Amino acid sequence: EAQVTQNPRYLITVTGKKLTVTCSQNMNHEYMSWYRQDPGLGLRQIYYSMNVEVTDKGDVPEGYKVSRKEKRNFPLILESPSPNQTSLYFCASRPGTGDGYTFGSGTRLTVV
Amino acid sequence: AQSVTQPDIHITVSEGASLELRCNYSYGATPYLFWYVQSPGQGLQLLLKYFSGDTLVQGIKGFEAEFKRSQSSFNLRKPSVHWSDAAEYFCAVGRSGGSYIPTFGRGTSLIVHP
């Protein structure tokens, strides 16, 4: 089944403890993105990648890192999480320019 | 910079009634336009998209959307709503720069009364 898989689905962590949210797609898509969803703010893009080793900042990149060493994987790294990064995170991928995204099921992160 | 506005935060309709969700965009050229649906506890699912051609676009689940360049709008419609359509709906516009990375609206929550 064609899908984007995120792990974990739920995560509670403490301020300052480094964490990684994994994202993998099995559709050979070129483009991958990370979004965060907050009530009343909709989806805001954190980082995106247009291909292996090609990444760029989205609208809210502060406090996040990404890497794209393989086409299928696009992990999101929080080096020192803070409570304002408590949010619902989505990974998404698409084949190319102008195509719609396929989204993962989301990761609900709570930083205390 | 592109932007997209969904003027209605919540919409309430009765089951079987027609539905129209509004989306207005701001962009200098012809944009890529998308509608997504998010059911509770799930990720977003693409309903339909538009870039060129026929301005009335058919999507999944019986939805359609009409692109109106003169009004900078891309409204989503459904002739008869089912209770299972209750969800959050997002309009998105793709910006240029080689990658057409989409910007999402803040969403419209659809409530369906029996």
Side-chain angles (χ1 to χ4, degrees):
Chain A
E1 179 188 356
Q3 60 186 358
V4 176
T5 303
Q6 292 178 233
N7 281 297
R9 287 294 307 275
Y10 301 92
L11 179 59
I12 301 174
T13 190
V14 297
T15 299
K17 184 177 181 181
K18 181 180 179 180
L19 66 90
T20 300
V21 183
T22 63
C23 174
S24 180
Q25 51 97 1
N26 62 1
M27 297 165 282
N28 202 37
H29 286 174
E30 300 285 335
Y31 294 86
M32 297 186 75
S33 286
W34 276 103
Y35 287 88
R36 61 178 288 173
Q37 184 179 24
D38 302 288
L41 298 178
L43 279 87
R44 294 179 292 168
Q45 191 174 66
I46 303 169
Y47 270 94
Y48 63 94
S49 170
M50 291 173 281
N51 213 325
V52 174
E53 303 291 3
V54 181
T55 64
D56 206 350
K57 296 176 180 179
D59 299 316
V60 288
E62 294 78 19
Y64 304 94
K65 286 175 57 178
V66 293
S67 67
R68 188 95 181 271
K69 293 183 171 56
E70 306 165 281
K71 198 170 189 179
R72 63 184 292 122
N73 296 323
F74 191 45
L76 179 69
I77 303 157
L78 285 72
E79 294 271 4
S80 183
S82 63
N84 64 12
Q85 293 178 297
T86 293
S87 186
L88 179 59
Y89 291 86
F90 287 103
C91 181
S93 72
R94 61 190 176 123
T97 299
D99 292 308
Y101 275 117
T102 298
F103 279 81
S105 298
T107 295
R108 185 166 293 281
L109 172 65
T110 302
V111 184
V112 298
Chain B
Q2 77 219 31
S3 65
V4 57
T5 302
Q6 294 180 245
D8 304 303
I9 299 174
H10 303 284
I11 290 277
T12 301
V13 299
S14 298
E15 191 169 16
S18 64
L19 170 70
E20 183 169 29
L21 301 181
R22 297 184 291 164
C23 173
N24 294 101
Y25 67 90
S26 172
Y27 188 65
T30 300
Y32 286 96
L33 293 161
F34 308 86
W35 274 102
Y36 290 84
V37 60
Q38 183 182 27
S39 297
Q42 298 187 23
L44 282 74
Q45 181 183 21
L46 179 68
L47 285 175
L48 47 80
K49 73 170 188 179
Y50 172 80
F51 176 63
S52 64
D54 192 345
T55 57
L56 185 63
V57 181
Q58 301 297 320
I60 63 171
K61 301 178 187 280
F63 286 92
E64 65 179 26
E66 186 171 13
F67 171 64
K68 293 185 177 180
R69 183 187 302 276
S70 61
Q71 299 176 19
S72 297
S73 69
F74 188 58
N75 294 349
L76 183 71
R77 301 195 295 245
K78 187 169 185 178
S80 178
V81 171
H82 188 262
W83 64 267
S84 60
D85 293 323
E88 190 89 14
Y89 291 82
F90 293 92
C91 181
V93 57
R95 58 183 183 238
S96 65
S99 57
Y100 290 94
I101 303 299
T103 296
F104 284 79
R106 296 190 176 189
T108 297
S109 179
L110 175 64
I111 301 164
V112 180
H113 281 166

